[in-house]
Amino acid sequence: MARMKKNFITSLFDTKGKSQDTEEGLTKIISDFFSSIFSSSNPSELDILKASKGIKSRMTGIMSEALGSQYSAEEVKDAIFGLSPTKAPGPDGFHAIFFQKAWG
């Protein structure tokens, strides 16, 4: 319990030097901080092109074609039956076992 109290942020100073201790104030300060460090004041497409010039693609034409192709029912079945039946549920709340048992 003492560790939790020690690691808890109760207030922060905003850009004007005013202390903020409400949830809304803390959220705004944190959001503004990360927005400022992960954004550019003068973005351009040219900067993106310069940055990506040195990156070599590791994807071949065959790989790209395979990713864009239609998947078959057999591939879906293999994927479903390859999952652990009782691990974490999917976004719909169902475990893999539900789909494995109701496949037919």
Side-chain angles (χ1 to χ4, degrees):
M1 191 65 136
R3 183 179 207 163
M4 187 182 289
K5 285 182 181 180
K6 181 180 176 184
N7 292 332
F8 190 77
I9 297 173
T10 57
S11 67
L12 292 171
F13 290 99
D14 61 17
T15 55
K16 297 174 185 164
K18 185 178 177 197
S19 177
Q20 298 287 335
D21 60 358
T22 64
E23 185 175 347
E24 295 82 23
L26 294 173
T27 302
K28 179 160 177 29
I29 291 171
I30 293 168
S31 177
D32 290 348
F33 172 76
F34 283 103
S35 292
S36 71
I37 64 171
F38 291 113
S39 64
S40 171
S41 60
N42 189 15
S44 70
E45 288 184 33
L46 188 59
D47 292 338
I48 295 169
L49 292 174
K50 284 181 189 176
S52 63
K53 235 179 193 169
I55 301 171
K56 294 180 182 176
S57 177
R58 296 189 61 169
M59 186 175 295
T60 65
I62 295 169
M63 291 175 173
S64 181
E65 190 177 309
L67 285 171
S69 67
Q70 191 69 274
Y71 45 86
S72 69
E74 189 62 32
E75 289 174 317
V76 174
K77 182 178 179 183
D78 289 345
I80 295 289
F81 283 86
L83 296 171
S84 268
T86 57
K87 293 286 183 178
D92 56 7
F94 292 105
H95 293 276
I97 195 167
F98 170 78
F99 299 103
Q100 292 167 353
K101 295 289 182 184
W103 185 258

